Amino acid sequence: MTAHSHGAGTLVTSRADHFTSYDVAAFEVPGGREEIWRFTPLKRMAGLHSGAEATGAATVEVDAPEAVQVETVDRDDERLGAAGVPGDRVAAQAWSSFAQATVITLPGDTELAPTTVTVTGAGQGQVAYGHVQVRAEKFAKAVVVLDHRGSGAYADNVEIVVGDGADLTVVTVQDWADDAVHVSTHHIRLGRDAKVRHTAVTLGGDLVRLTPLVSYADRGGDAELHGLYFADAGQHLEHRPFIDHSVPNCRSNVVYKGALQGEGAHTVWIGDVLIRAAAEGTDTYELNRNLVLTDGARADSVPNLEIETGEIEGAGHASATGRFDDEQLFYLQARGIPEDQARRLVVRGFFHEILLKISVPEVRERLEAAIEAELEAVGA
């Protein structure tokens, strides 16, 4: 890999050397040339990267089964920070700026009904910071939906701590108003034989940048990261998953799919996988596909795979960006399906794999309706 600046004043030659700190001052204010910021339009970030103070507060509402413990805690709670340390200036700013955190504890040895966490922005022109931690105790099995909506600029850290043998599904939906800016880091920490299914769905907002980070505390961890995004004219939607394989015999699989339409629609997917020297027996794969529906839209896709040991089960990556498959359209039209309906069928089929991963029917149906609305807007 080519050496580059990570924004903290030193050069990085490997993802293994990526700088982390809780201290905002340890990171330089990004100028846009740094590797981790070069795709992000900093002028549209409402100052989240340069020290903007909170002028409002987002609201966090939790609808959970009775057995789930929901707490509002001060920032000195000793559980906070268990899943990871901020790795960029915005994440560090969010860490130092939140007043209270929401901690959701899913009891062990229990299969639970879904928990929904609704985060509503502070309002148009307002800046807010937040922190949510989800803790799945040993052998818990649960689904948590993080539903983001409303207006304003919002930066947060989400911690997802998955205990030994636990099986946790997290669905995060970014369905913001047109003016919203959201920059979020999801720190995911897996215990021994723990499983996590993390699905990110990004539809709304002016600028959304989501960074899911996965680390393993012990053997047998299994992480699946899925993503679905649909960018309209002028939207910037950015996803940067990073899987850090540091212990033996763990697995990861990453599949993100996006569609773009309209002048200035821009999506960015940066997929990083690091297999450290100690991570023998790793099995990993990452895939990103983008479907460009109109002229004037742009998709950037960069898969990165860094391997420090040859003793692995498998590792690979793939990326593709293209327009409608003319053969698919021809096949459908030859069977009497009008072109506009044929195009819709192609897009539905493109996203079908990801939507099937969403196990909460109400959420899946809502997202299917939202995708239909997007297609109607362009006449596809």
Side-chain angles (χ1 to χ4, degrees):
M1 295 177 66
T2 304
H4 61 268
S5 169
H6 58 53
T10 59
L11 291 179
V12 175
T13 57
S14 166
R15 200 64 163 90
D17 301 323
H18 188 72
F19 182 78
T20 60
S21 175
Y22 293 109
D23 183 10
V24 180
F27 297 91
E28 296 173 355
V29 175
R33 299 183 64 183
E34 301 84 356
E35 181 62 26
I36 67 169
W37 294 108
R38 67 188 180 95
F39 290 104
T40 310
L42 298 177
K43 292 181 180 179
R44 294 167 58 179
M45 286 184 58
L48 294 176
H49 65 298
S50 56
E53 294 185 0
T55 57
T59 60
V60 180
E61 299 174 298
V62 182
D63 182 7
E66 186 176 350
V68 175
Q69 184 178 19
V70 180
E71 303 169 82
T72 300
V73 303
D74 294 330
R75 57 179 306 105
D76 59 355
D77 189 289
E78 62 181 10
R79 293 170 295 180
L80 301 182
V85 182
D88 63 57
R89 184 179 172 91
V90 178
Q93 184 71 55
W95 173 270
S96 65
S97 300
F98 77 88
Q100 292 181 313
T102 301
V103 177
I104 300 163
T105 303
L106 308 165
D109 296 296
T110 308
E111 184 170 351
L112 299 157
T115 293
T116 300
V117 183
T118 303
V119 179
T120 305
Q124 191 169 12
Q126 302 296 307
V127 175
Y129 298 95
H131 197 101
V132 172
Q133 185 182 82
V134 178
R135 306 179 65 88
E137 295 184 335
K138 191 173 183 178
F139 297 121
K141 185 173 183 180
V143 177
V144 175
V145 179
L146 304 173
D147 191 358
H148 302 87
R149 56 182 63 188
S151 298
Y154 183 61
D156 67 335
N157 290 283
V158 176
E159 295 187 68
I160 301 169
V161 183
V162 189
D164 294 351
D167 185 345
L168 178 64
T169 296
V170 176
V171 181
T172 176
V173 181
Q174 287 64 240
D175 196 12
W176 296 98
D178 291 343
D179 69 291
V181 175
H182 184 202
V183 182
S184 182
T185 300
H186 287 204
H187 308 268
I188 305 168
R189 183 73 167 170
L190 294 175
R192 188 178 184 92
D193 297 324
K195 296 181 180 180
V196 70
R197 305 292 178 265
H198 182 279
T199 301
V201 180
T202 304
L203 300 173
D206 177 65
L207 181 153
V208 176
R209 174 179 159 130
L210 179 62
T211 304
L213 308 175
V214 176
S215 62
Y216 301 84
D218 208 337
R219 296 170 181 260
D222 187 344
E224 289 194 7
L225 271 62
H226 307 117
L228 183 160
Y229 48 89
F230 203 135
D232 281 325
Q235 277 188 300
H236 179 94
L237 307 181
E238 185 167 344
H239 299 83
R240 308 180 68 95
F242 171 43
I243 316 294
D244 186 352
H245 283 278
S246 59
V247 298
N249 304 117
C250 292
R251 175 184 175 273
S252 64
N253 185 63
V254 179
V255 178
Y256 275 66
K257 291 188 175 184
L260 305 84
Q261 63 184 16
E263 188 68 32
H266 187 198
T267 65
V268 177
W269 182 86
I270 309 295
D272 285 333
V273 176
L274 169 64
I275 304 175
R276 298 178 187 261
E280 296 179 353
T282 292
D283 186 7
T284 183
Y285 192 79
E286 59 175 348
L287 169 69
N288 177 231
R289 298 205 183 284
N290 297 288
L291 186 60
V292 180
L293 303 178
T294 66
D295 293 333
R298 171 185 168 184
D300 288 298
S301 180
V302 185
N304 297 307
L305 181 59
E306 184 177 356
I307 305 173
E308 296 180 349
T309 175
E311 301 298 323
I312 60 175
E313 291 294 319
H317 60 195
S319 170
T321 298
R323 295 184 177 274
F324 278 109
D325 188 323
D326 290 336
E327 290 186 5
Q328 288 181 324
L329 288 177
F330 176 79
Y331 178 88
L332 293 170
Q333 289 180 264
R335 280 149 182 78
I337 299 174
E339 182 179 355
D340 59 341
Q341 293 183 26
R343 287 179 177 273
R344 291 191 188 204
L345 287 173
V346 171
V347 176
R348 289 175 195 154
F350 179 71
F351 282 137
H352 184 67
E353 175 187 6
I354 305 299
L355 289 169
L356 282 181
K357 304 293 184 182
I358 300 173
S359 59
V360 183
E362 297 83 357
V363 176
R364 184 172 61 248
E365 291 166 6
R366 168 187 160 194
L367 297 176
E368 289 173 345
I371 291 170
E372 284 293 315
E374 297 278 5
L375 293 172
E376 288 179 4
V378 77

